[in-house]
Amino acid sequence: MTPTAGVREPHALTGRGQATRARILEHAAELIYVHGVHGTNNELLRRAAGVSGSQLNHYFPTKESLVLAVIAWQAERVLTFHRGERFACFDSLDAFRDWATHYIGYERAYREGCSLGSLASEIIKTDLDVHDQLASAFDQWRDIFRDGIARMQQVGRLRAEADPEQLANLVLAAFQGGMLLAQVARDIAPLRDALTAAIDHLQTFATSPGDV
């Protein structure tokens, strides 16, 4: 993701400056989720984050620079979670099931939805030039699944005809669609059913149940 001109990047800030910037981004993401991009103005954000107008302008001189930074911040949180040791690089069906169980068992999942997906649904409706950054975030997320599935194939756990790209798209789409339907229904069942079906489909390519 390419930094926007004029945006103060975290590595160029003091520890205190990084904390202030992170606080602004956290509140900006929440306000955009609740009020949308156009409904989130500097005054709302300034009060929520407890910063002055000059501080806000110092870190984010334009709305586009703020939105781009929010995308990068939210994407980093999601990607870091998925790249952690817990899911062992998604190179087994057990890792995918553990991931699905985490979200299915998260009691607030159907209320909060997907943090990155909800952000994208708000931002994509604007005329801000942020499409490439959103696409990059979801591409990186999908690639985590794709690379894990490809490793399963390389070590002989999945048959050669399995398409890692297609299967990764299926898993991510099942998550996003299932999460949205769970929010609408206020019931985790749509997410549970979508993820179960996607992982069950992935299992149909297993060379041997015991090897996956």
Side-chain angles (χ1 to χ4, degrees):
M1 298 179 187
T2 305
T4 300
V7 177
R8 297 295 301 274
E9 290 300 301
H11 58 75
L13 301 173
T14 64
R16 185 175 180 180
Q18 291 181 31
T20 300
R21 184 179 187 274
R23 188 169 73 252
I24 293 170
L25 289 176
E26 182 174 3
H27 285 285
E30 176 65 21
L31 288 171
I32 289 172
Y33 176 77
V34 174
H35 301 289
V37 174
H38 292 305
T40 300
N41 56 44
N42 283 2
E43 183 60 22
L44 275 176
L45 180 54
R46 187 188 65 75
R47 291 201 306 265
V51 296
S52 66
S54 60
Q55 283 179 300
L56 185 56
N57 289 331
H58 173 69
Y59 295 108
F60 306 107
T62 66
K63 175 161 276 190
E64 184 170 297
S65 68
L66 173 66
V67 171
L68 285 169
V70 168
I71 293 171
W73 176 80
Q74 198 69 274
E76 185 62 27
R77 295 177 68 205
V78 170
L79 296 174
T80 296
F81 175 71
H82 284 74
R83 288 169 177 156
E85 294 181 1
R86 173 173 179 175
F87 304 119
C89 300
F90 288 95
D91 59 2
S92 72
L93 278 178
D94 282 344
F96 278 95
R97 291 192 182 103
D98 185 27
W99 167 75
T101 298
H102 167 80
Y103 281 104
I104 294 168
Y106 181 45
E107 62 181 12
R108 295 174 61 187
Y110 72 84
R111 297 191 186 96
E112 297 179 351
C114 169
S115 57
L116 187 57
S118 296
L119 178 65
S121 69
E122 287 296 332
I123 294 174
I124 204 68
K125 295 179 290 188
T126 72
D127 57 1
L128 296 174
D129 185 17
V130 297
H131 180 272
D132 289 349
Q133 285 71 19
L134 280 174
S136 174
F138 281 97
D139 284 348
Q140 291 178 71
W141 191 353
R142 180 206 59 214
D143 289 350
I144 293 172
F145 298 142
R146 182 202 62 193
D147 293 347
I149 293 168
R151 279 189 292 271
M152 293 167 66
Q153 193 174 47
Q154 289 163 7
V155 300
R157 293 177 175 176
L158 296 180
R159 300 195 307 273
E161 61 265 31
D163 184 333
E165 187 90 11
Q166 184 183 72
L167 291 169
N169 279 330
L170 172 64
V171 171
L172 185 54
F175 177 78
Q176 290 297 326
M179 189 67 84
L180 175 61
L181 291 176
Q183 278 188 286
V184 172
R186 300 193 65 78
D187 187 332
I188 204 66
L191 177 64
R192 182 189 63 231
D193 294 345
L195 291 182
T196 298
I199 296 171
D200 284 351
H201 181 67
L202 176 59
Q203 187 173 14
T204 65
F205 292 94
T207 53
S208 170
D211 292 337
V212 180

